[in-house]
Amino acid sequence: MNHQEMTSQIANGQGFIAALDQSGGSTPKALRAYGVADDEWDGDDAMFAKIHEMRSRVITAPSFGSGKVIGAILFEKTMDGDVEGKPTPEALKARGVVPFLKVDKGLEDEVDGVQMMKPNPDLGQLLEKGKSKGVFGTKMRSVINSANATGIAANVAQQFEVGQQILDHGLMPILEPEVSIGAPDRAEAEEIVLAEILKGLDALPEGSQVMLKLTIPVKPNLYKPLVDHPKTLSVVALSGGFTREDACEHLAENSGMIASFSRALLEELRAQMTDEQFDAALGEAINHIHRASIAG
């Protein structure tokens, strides 16, 4: 797929984006959920090798190439690895899946009810590496824990500031100011997020577009103005701690939003499964998430 074909596939949104981007801090938990105990690996290299085995198994499963998965977000080490002898981004494109790269370096401590992204002085180098490997876009996450207007404004502004740097490198940024589903005033926080994102979109240069990855809102279709905004290529939803059943139920109520699920996609997969069992479980999850993504 060339750049225009990838842009068109994401814009049309007839599927969902798989999030295969657990980083070092979240990888042990992901491996345990997959049925790989801590004593089955020793050291970071072995840990990342185990998670790459899982991701490779997902990417090469027959159901993953069904056309229902239109994109996938990768951790840097996954991007640098191979799948069936091909660089991972090229293996994805060969299956009709648009590759994205996680580029943030984790979260700062909470201030004003939010967690900003940590400084990322080497971002330019990472963007150039991703571009050279055929990546279409990027993803970066920050977190909002309460309806603090000052904190949310700073959080969203940081996303757009770094997003512009990514655009300047010729890549498509996915901005992800995640509102925690545990926030006691989540609905109010989401209203503030909406207003701040609209400000950011309106301030983008003419002809620019970004993607947005957002918590499924308490109020259905709250984010429809973002879906319809000319400077938005696509709005995708994170599962954010919901089970797949709950995440899909809520997502289906939001017109124009598609899924970008991680745990909710992979939660039924186990290392001990046969290839047939693995593909059946993955295929069931893909079908469920696909139906919710196109319901609107």
Side-chain angles (χ1 to χ4, degrees):
M1 290 187 287
N2 61 33
H3 189 272
Q4 185 54 49
E5 289 169 337
M6 290 190 285
T7 302
S8 177
Q9 178 158 307
I10 297 300
N12 289 335
Q14 293 302 302
F16 70 94
I17 296 174
L20 307 176
D21 61 333
Q22 297 91 352
S23 56
S26 57
T27 295
K29 183 178 179 182
L31 283 173
R32 288 182 213 118
Y34 182 50
V36 177
D38 293 358
D39 61 7
E40 294 183 55
W41 52 269
D42 183 19
D44 284 354
D45 288 345
M47 176 185 74
F48 285 121
K50 286 289 186 184
I51 201 73
H52 189 70
E53 287 176 16
M54 182 195 80
R55 291 167 177 159
S56 297
R57 198 177 185 193
V58 170
I59 291 168
T60 57
S63 57
F64 197 78
S66 63
K68 296 174 181 178
V69 180
I70 61 173
I73 304 168
L74 305 174
F75 180 52
E76 183 180 359
K77 284 184 177 292
T78 310
M79 177 187 74
D80 291 341
D82 290 345
V83 174
E84 293 187 331
K86 293 180 179 179
T88 307
E90 296 304 320
L92 285 170
K93 287 193 277 189
R95 307 217 73 195
V97 179
V98 176
F100 292 83
L101 173 65
K102 169 187 160 66
V103 296
D104 68 80
K105 297 302 180 184
L107 300 171
E108 299 273 29
D109 292 337
E110 182 176 322
V111 177
D112 290 333
V114 305
Q115 290 173 272
M116 306 284 280
M117 294 183 289
K118 288 182 177 178
N120 194 355
D122 299 324
L123 177 59
Q125 293 176 328
L126 179 57
L127 295 174
E128 286 304 312
K129 181 169 80 166
K131 191 173 179 181
S132 72
K133 290 179 176 285
V135 164
F136 171 73
T138 65
K139 190 216 79 164
M140 52 190 176
R141 172 179 174 261
S142 52
V143 173
I144 294 162
N145 295 310
S146 67
N148 182 308
T150 300
I152 292 173
N155 191 292
V156 173
Q158 183 192 41
Q159 287 278 341
F160 274 95
E161 180 183 352
V162 181
Q164 185 60 59
Q165 184 180 352
I166 293 163
L167 286 170
D168 291 343
H169 281 265
L171 294 169
M172 172 58 61
I174 302 177
L175 314 184
E176 185 184 4
E178 174 184 347
V179 179
S180 170
I181 64 169
D185 47 9
R186 179 158 72 99
E188 183 182 351
E190 289 168 351
E191 294 281 359
I192 302 171
V193 167
L194 171 62
E196 292 298 328
I197 292 176
L198 285 170
K199 289 179 191 175
L201 290 173
D202 290 341
L204 283 174
E206 287 303 316
S208 296
Q209 285 188 311
V210 297
M211 293 173 62
L212 301 165
K213 182 168 179 174
L214 304 171
T215 308
I216 304 168
V218 173
K219 179 183 176 183
N221 284 320
L222 175 70
Y223 294 134
K224 192 65 165 61
L226 305 179
V227 172
D228 295 337
H229 200 287
K231 293 180 182 176
T232 304
L233 181 67
S234 179
V235 179
V236 304
L238 56 100
S239 50
F242 287 123
T243 64
R244 188 177 81 226
E245 188 70 36
D246 287 343
C248 287
E249 180 181 345
H250 296 316
L251 176 60
E253 297 172 343
N254 289 270
S255 177
M257 286 185 81
I258 66 172
S260 178
F261 293 171
S262 175
R263 188 187 50 76
L265 171 65
L266 308 174
E267 64 186 10
E268 301 297 331
L269 303 181
R270 299 292 181 271
Q272 296 78 14
M273 289 176 165
T274 66
D275 288 346
E276 291 76 13
Q277 291 170 331
F278 185 93
D279 187 55
L282 179 61
E284 181 179 347
I286 286 172
N287 289 337
H288 192 182
I289 297 168
H290 178 259
R291 285 194 301 271
S293 295
I294 64 172

